[in-house]
Amino acid sequence: MESIEQGREEKWKGKAIAEVKGVKAEEVWPLLEDFFGLNKWFPTPLCIPVEGLSGQPGCVRFCAGFKTPVDDETKKTVNWTKQKLLSIDPSQWTFTYSIVEGNVGFHSYIATWKLKPTPEGTEIQWHYEVEPVEGWKLEYLNTFTDKGLNAMAKKIEEGLKTMETALKFHN
């Protein structure tokens, strides 16, 4: 008798890493722990609180308007996901969330974001796993997360440096 599990593919696992140069983890963390503020830094046009308090386990955000690697120019529907914060540890600069609903084909998606101090600044690590997504290849997901995280790191770096410069000239 064949096991049901034999027919299932292994979960896809990946990791994206981006560096925020010249900025300490203590400065980056408050921007990341604002779970409902993802669209301030990540290239997701919309992030709306659905339930709970931002940064508290169990809170849920609705993210929409992003492009995926399999979208063509004629696509009329808006991509969206609901994401639930599972755990957060400010002392370790880490949080884990899951996608609980959406229309982009992600099932059993769980991700952990972690900050790691480096000699040059702060590394943001995004570890994720998901059941294989219909119509996608793992490389598409890796490219999507890598591009998004690098854009986010650059925006955070520029924002914090702008603030630092502005405050320096204010005093």
Side-chain angles (χ1 to χ4, degrees), residues 66-83:
F66 51 89
K67 294 284 185 201
T68 73
V70 298
D71 291 339
D72 64 27
E73 296 304 314
T74 62
K75 183 174 180 177
K76 300 288 186 218
T77 59
V78 173
N79 292 326
W80 65 272
T81 61
K82 281 187 182 178
Q83 303 171 5

Side-chain angles (χ1 to χ4, degrees), residues 72-131:
D72 64 27
E73 296 304 314
T74 62
K75 183 174 180 177
K76 300 288 186 218
T77 59
V78 173
N79 292 326
W80 65 272
T81 61
K82 281 187 182 178
Q83 303 171 5
K84 182 176 189 173
L85 184 63
L86 301 175
S87 65
I88 188 165
D89 185 346
S91 68
Q92 296 295 310
W93 301 312
T94 186
F95 67 85
T96 300
Y97 70 96
S98 66
I99 293 178
V100 294
E101 195 177 344
N103 70 345
V104 291
F106 289 0
H107 300 285
S108 299
Y109 177 94
I110 295 185
T112 298
W113 286 34
K114 181 170 182 58
L115 297 182
K116 180 181 170 194
T118 67
E120 296 82 33
T122 302
E123 188 176 270
I124 304 173
Q125 299 179 357
W126 181 358
H127 300 262
Y128 46 89
E129 66 176 52
V130 65
E131 289 179 12

Side-chain angles (χ1 to χ4, degrees), residues 116-165:
K116 180 181 170 194
T118 67
E120 296 82 33
T122 302
E123 188 176 270
I124 304 173
Q125 299 179 357
W126 181 358
H127 300 262
Y128 46 89
E129 66 176 52
V130 65
E131 289 179 12
V133 182
E134 189 176 329
W136 289 48
K137 295 180 181 175
L138 178 56
E139 299 84 59
Y140 299 166
L141 181 56
N142 290 337
T143 299
F144 176 75
T145 56
D146 191 55
K147 279 184 172 179
L149 192 61
N150 277 290
M152 180 178 181
K154 186 173 176 57
K155 194 170 181 182
I156 287 173
E157 183 179 314
E158 290 170 355
L160 290 173
K161 289 198 174 167
T162 297
M163 182 179 75
E164 181 184 322
T165 301

